[in-house]
Amino acid sequence: MPMIRIDVTEGRAPEELEKLSRAIHIAVVEEYRIPEGDYFHVITEHPRGQVVALDAGLGFERSDAVVMIQIFTQRGRSGEAKSALFAAIARELQGVGVAGEDVFIGYLENGAEDWSFGFGRAQYSTGELAIPSSREA
């Protein structure tokens, strides 16, 4: 059950933002085999100049259309699984018009005790929700 933050420069139509979110969700569902309904995204638009993503020495330039993605999920997946997810996200975003160099992903892991789905309770810790296996976290 990843929670995903998507940061972009303002100016995209609401339909385009929805397509970005759906493309990312499709990749996560396919690669991590999570239920379709585990869909938790926050999309934030920023004024021009407030999203900065240089090339980090890789020799390419990004455009103002960069999509910065933060994935928060439970620890336990292999490096290969994460790499496959990154590739799937880039592929799905390319399908909605985002160039590969404009896909930037940060991946943050935590534990079951770090999640609350409402009412101020850590439902994985209380047993209200079953802790997903590492394939579903």
Side-chain angles (χ1 to χ4, degrees), residues 37-50:
D38 281 1
Y39 195 160
F40 303 94
H41 289 194
V42 176
I43 302 170
T44 305
E45 292 184 282
H46 302 273
R48 293 219 175 276
Q50 290 190 3

Side-chain angles (χ1 to χ4, degrees), residues 61-77:
E61 301 225 358
R62 299 181 204 278
S63 75
D64 285 340
V66 66
V67 178
M68 298 189 80
I69 303 160
Q70 296 176 5
I71 300 170
F72 300 85
T73 192
Q74 289 186 42
R75 63 183 143 288
R77 292 197 176 84

